[in-house]
Amino acid sequence: MESLYEHVGKEGALRRTISVWYASVLRDPQLHPLFGEGRPTHVDHLTAFFAEVFGGPTRFTDELGGFPALADAHRGKRITEEQRRRFIELFLLAADETDLPDDEPFRHALAGYLEFGTEVAVVNSHATSEAELHPCQEVPRWSW
């Protein structure tokens, strides 16, 4: 069965979507406080992360610090439910803008992952100890 990574158009399609999404969060008054002025490596790292989540290469884990680096990036951010919802909204708008597949099975899988991933980020952003981190402590592999 084709992976989500293959279905989406692999790394190039993910990078285009994440680039559009990232520019939008840096401009967004609700999300800007979480991202500040941005980091030059964020698009590359998030592209590698989504590629791995969707069944592509494992570069995020193998070369970019894996899940521990992601959990550390969220610590202390204290992400609100409103910010979580806005993150998803802007990501789905970027998916539309960059012509990611719009078939129902893919969009259902994408929305499902965004819900799950942002919930993990919220929990980790409020954690004050290792014991309070979300139980998911590795890059998930999402599928249909």
Side-chain angles (χ1 to χ4, degrees), residues 28-35 74-89 114-115 117-127:
D28 188 82
Q30 212 172 6
L31 295 178
H32 185 271
L34 297 175
F35 292 89
H74 290 107
R75 285 197 186 196
K77 298 274 187 195
R78 305 195 57 77
I79 301 168
T80 67
E81 178 60 20
E82 293 76 22
Q83 289 169 320
R84 184 182 85 80
R85 302 289 332 144
R86 184 67 175 151
F87 177 106
I88 293 169
E89 178 184 5
L114 291 171
E115 286 290 334
T118 57
E119 288 171 7
V120 172
V122 168
V123 170
N124 290 343
S125 78
H126 290 269

Side-chain angles (χ1 to χ4, degrees), residues 53-108:
V53 167
F54 286 171
T58 59
R59 186 169 79 88
F60 187 79
T61 294
D62 297 341
E63 300 172 18
L64 301 174
F67 198 84
L70 186 65
D72 287 346
H74 290 107
R75 285 197 186 196
K77 298 274 187 195
R78 305 195 57 77
I79 301 168
T80 67
E81 178 60 20
E82 293 76 22
Q83 289 169 320
R84 184 182 85 80
R85 302 289 332 144
R86 184 67 175 151
F87 177 106
I88 293 169
E89 178 184 5
L90 291 178
F91 201 99
L92 293 175
L93 286 171
D96 290 341
E97 185 177 332
T98 58
D99 296 321
L100 282 189
D102 63 358
D103 57 280
E104 195 277 328
F106 173 72
R107 289 302 176 109
H108 180 75

